């Protein structure tokens, strides 16, 4: 609506050609409100979809079934493939329509596509396997923390297997681990008559062992996601500066001039080709060697992605150095090297992170954990702004000028490469410390009441 109705946006400067932005008419408060309402609605909708849709799709597979376990890993690969396909359409067709036919038509096509997606989702509802809600994970975590604090003076019984347990969460019972032993206090009955305590439990005073382990799992996973945030910071920088670089480079492809905003299609096309090869060739080959349904462990996959992220920043620094030193325009397709390496890094890390959080979280925390994995992207983009501001202040203005030939972008890329290596080291420490969860068979578990 804002792109279509002139009343909802400021008048164009000099007939649409901005010569002096300071003399252009500013947006009114109402026009600004419409813009920000649209932006935040997009963020709200995308946040909800990206948190819920992967978990819904993964719930259609039974991880306990040996035949369906490999399909779960395939699903996350092809889910990212669908996101990549949509992004390719967005940065090519939609951008072309917007720049040549009008952004009102481009946004209108996008709106119709979303409506079509919602319709397909609704039509398939009766076929979905829906996991019954097990209550709020946030409440269960709070109960564990409060109960552990209240029971801090109680002694943990020996053996620790005698801690309180009953039906688990959604039929899943987690084995006790030795990490964060202070939380085990939440599963220690305070009554001398334990049987009476079991029959009349206050969840804010006594939690199940599975509930305690669920909280431990989330705490163990947090360092993993924190160590992947910087990858998204690098992605934000590539998306920002690559567009600026593209505007100064040779974008001719025969008689067609590639829009600078369409340069990100290069890594998307690389991922588009990479995912089928990875899923249909590499995963079966690696599965035959490792016996792991996903081919390699989730943490190994994420680690390789972080290595490629550091490599892409180094390549970006080399390409930018060459662009600055050449007297003639440099082909924009040289940016494809850094982008394709980073595309592989993003695919391995993001999909590995989604699958890791979904597989490792408890049965009652799948959607929450998948949503948390998506927070890595959000925090990475916020951190990006902080990094640029700090670097500008400490370096005396490496990135302050709008003229790309006057800034020290190549130095900035080398800095990001170095920080990525440091971040990789932090990740390796966190990954080596992490303990994968173990699930017990519900039928084989007996409650021990001393």
């Amino acid at each position: 609506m804002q792109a279509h109705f002139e009343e909802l946006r400021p008048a164009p400067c000099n007939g649409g050609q901005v010569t002096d932005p300071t003399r252009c008419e500013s947006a009114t408060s109402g026009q600004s409100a419409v813009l920000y309402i649209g932006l935040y609605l997009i963020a709200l909708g995308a946040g909800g979809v990206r948190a819920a849709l992967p978990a819904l799709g993964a719930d259609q597979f039974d991880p306990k079934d040996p035949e369906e376990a490999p399909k779960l890993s395939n699903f996350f690969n092809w889910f990212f493939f669908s996101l990549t396909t949509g992004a390719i359409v967005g940065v090519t067709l939609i951008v072309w329509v917007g720049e040549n036919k009008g952004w009102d038509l481009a946004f209108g096509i996008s709106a119709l596509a979303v409506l079509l997606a919602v319709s397909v989702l609704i039509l398939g509802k009766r076929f979905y396997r829906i996991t019954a809600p097990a209550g709020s994970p946030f409440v269960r975590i709070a109960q564990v923390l409060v109960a552990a604090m209240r029971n801090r003076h109680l002694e943990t019984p020996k053996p620790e297997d005698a801690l309180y347990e009953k039906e688990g969460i959604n039929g899943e019972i987690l084995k006790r681990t030795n990490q964060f032993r202070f939380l085990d206090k939440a599963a220690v009955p305070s009554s001398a008559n334990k049987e009476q305590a079991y029959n009349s439990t206050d969840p804010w005073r006594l939690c199940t062992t599975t509930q305690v382990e669920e909280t431990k799992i989330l705490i163990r996973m947090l360092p993993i996601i924190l160590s992947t945030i910087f990858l998204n910071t690098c992605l934000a920088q590539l998306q920002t500066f690559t567009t600026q670089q593209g505007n100064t480079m040779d974008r001719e492809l025969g008689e067609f001039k590639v829009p600078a905003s369409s340069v990100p299609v290069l890594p998307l096309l690389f991922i588009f080709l990479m995912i089928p090869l990875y899923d249909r060739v590499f995963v079966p080959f690696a599965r035959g060697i490792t016996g792991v349904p996903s081919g390699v462990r989730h943490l190994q996959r994420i680690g390789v992605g972080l290595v490629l992220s550091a490599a892409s920043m180094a390549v970006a620094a080399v390409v930018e150095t060459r662009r600055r030193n050449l007297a003639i325009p440099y082909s924009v397709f040289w940016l494809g090297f850094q982008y394709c390496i980073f595309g592989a890094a993003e695919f391995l890390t993001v999909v590995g992170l989604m699958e890791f959080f979904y597989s490792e979280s408890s049965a009652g925390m799948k959607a929450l954990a998948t949503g948390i994995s998506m927070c890595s992207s959000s925090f990475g983009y916020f951190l990006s702004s902080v990094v640029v501001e700090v670097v500008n202040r400490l370096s005396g203005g490496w990135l302050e000028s709008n003229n790309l030939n006057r800034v020290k972008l190549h130095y900035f890329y080398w800095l990001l490469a170095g920080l990525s290596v440091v971040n990789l080291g932090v990740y390796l420490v966190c990954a080596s410390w992490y303990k994968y969860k173990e699930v017990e068979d519900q039928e084989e578990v007996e409650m021990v009441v001393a």
Side-chain angles (χ1 to χ4, degrees):
M1 289 175 58
Q2 188 166 43
H4 182 75
F5 295 107
E6 295 182 358
E7 297 82 359
L8 296 180
R9 61 183 189 275
C13 302
N14 192 24
Q17 301 297 320
V18 181
T19 55
D20 184 1
T22 61
R23 306 178 71 177
C24 296
E25 182 180 346
S26 300
T28 65
S29 57
Q31 292 169 340
S32 299
V34 173
L35 173 65
Y36 286 111
I37 287 174
L39 290 176
Y40 283 114
L41 283 175
I42 291 173
L44 182 64
V49 169
R50 292 208 171 195
L53 191 56
L56 173 63
D59 283 345
Q60 307 312 305
F61 305 95
D62 184 2
K64 297 179 181 179
D65 187 341
E67 294 184 0
E68 290 198 9
K71 297 178 182 179
L72 177 62
S73 180
N74 298 143
F75 164 75
F76 283 106
N77 292 331
W78 291 105
F79 174 76
F80 196 78
F81 181 84
S82 70
L83 295 181
T84 302
T85 304
I88 290 174
V89 174
V91 299
T92 54
L93 176 62
I94 301 300
V95 167
W96 184 87
V97 170
E99 293 188 350
N100 294 276
K101 304 298 181 180
W103 286 105
D104 50 351
L105 180 59
F107 290 136
I109 293 174
S110 301
L112 290 176
V114 174
L115 289 176
L116 177 62
V118 173
S119 301
V120 173
L121 183 72
I122 294 173
L123 289 174
K125 182 180 178 182
R126 66 190 184 95
F127 300 105
Y128 301 145
R129 183 186 341 192
I130 306 296
T131 301
S136 170
F138 292 111
V139 173
R140 294 197 300 272
I141 293 171
Q143 288 172 343
V144 169
L145 298 176
V146 172
M149 182 61 65
R150 286 180 170 179
N151 299 343
R152 62 187 181 278
H153 300 302
L154 299 178
E155 286 190 18
T156 304
K158 303 292 183 180
E160 288 83 351
D161 290 340
L163 295 173
Y164 175 56
E165 186 58 275
K166 50 178 184 178
E167 73 277 4
I169 300 176
N170 279 355
E172 179 184 73
I173 292 181
L174 301 176
K175 289 185 179 181
R176 181 191 166 275
T177 58
N178 288 322
Q179 291 179 319
F180 310 112
R181 294 173 62 90
F182 64 92
L183 292 177
D184 292 339
K185 299 287 187 180
V188 178
S190 59
S191 172
N193 186 340
K194 292 184 175 63
E195 184 173 358
Q196 180 180 355
Y198 293 154
N199 293 330
S200 58
T201 54
D202 176 1
W204 295 95
R205 290 187 177 274
L206 182 61
C207 303
T208 65
T209 303
T210 294
Q211 191 175 341
V212 171
E213 289 304 314
E214 177 185 57
T215 304
K216 289 183 181 182
I217 288 173
L218 184 60
I219 296 175
R220 285 200 299 266
M221 290 193 298
L222 288 179
I224 301 297
I225 191 172
L226 291 176
S227 56
T228 61
I229 288 176
F230 196 75
L231 175 138
N232 291 286
T233 298
C234 295
L235 174 60
Q237 299 303 335
L238 277 182
Q239 290 176 332
T240 300
F241 291 111
T242 301
T243 302
Q244 290 181 270
Q245 288 173 293
N247 284 324
T248 68
M249 301 174 75
D250 180 11
R251 293 182 279 124
E252 300 294 334
L253 182 62
E255 298 182 356
F256 178 72
K257 190 171 185 179
V258 179
S261 53
S262 292
V263 173
V265 76
L266 297 176
L268 295 174
L269 290 173
F270 181 77
I271 296 174
F272 185 85
L273 298 174
M274 176 184 175
I275 292 179
L277 292 174
Y278 180 89
D279 189 80
R280 297 304 178 189
V281 178
F282 173 77
V283 171
F285 174 77
R287 185 185 298 150
I289 298 175
T290 64
V292 177
S294 56
V296 295
R297 291 279 191 175
H298 311 314
L299 294 179
Q300 293 172 336
R301 177 174 179 170
I302 296 171
V304 173
L306 294 180
V307 170
L308 293 177
S309 171
S312 71
M313 291 297 100
V315 171
V318 173
V319 171
E320 172 60 13
T321 301
R322 183 169 175 78
R323 186 199 66 82
R324 287 170 56 90
N325 295 337
L326 286 180
I328 59 175
Y330 199 33
S331 174
V332 72
F333 293 102
W334 281 97
L335 298 176
F337 287 102
Q338 67 206 48
Y339 246 151
C340 289
I341 296 174
F342 197 90
E346 184 185 14
F347 163 61
L348 293 173
T349 302
V350 172
V351 178
L353 199 61
M354 278 195 299
E355 188 175 354
F356 168 72
F357 267 75
Y358 181 87
S359 301
E360 284 297 295
S361 61
S362 69
M365 200 184 285
K366 299 293 187 184
L368 173 64
T370 307
I372 291 176
S373 71
M374 294 295 182
C375 291
S376 174
S377 175
S378 302
F379 287 125
Y381 278 75
F382 279 120
L383 182 60
S384 171
S385 300
V386 175
V387 169
V388 170
E389 183 66 25
V390 171
V391 168
N392 269 331
R393 291 190 178 186
L394 296 181
S395 65
W398 277 2
L399 307 171
E400 283 186 345
S401 175
N402 288 327
N403 187 333
L404 208 58
N405 293 320
R406 295 180 181 176
V407 300
K408 306 294 184 182
L409 182 58
H410 54 312
Y411 290 166
F412 182 59
Y413 278 148
W414 280 121
L415 176 63
L416 292 180
L419 292 176
S420 295
V421 173
V422 174
N423 181 72
L424 174 63
V426 173
Y427 170 80
L428 292 176
V429 172
C430 296
S432 61
W433 170 79
Y434 184 84
K435 302 296 182 184
Y436 285 91
K437 76 171 184 179
E438 294 184 48
V439 181
E440 297 188 67
D441 189 340
Q442 173 93 30
E443 298 177 357
E444 296 179 357
V445 174
E446 294 181 0
M447 186 189 308
V448 179
V449 181

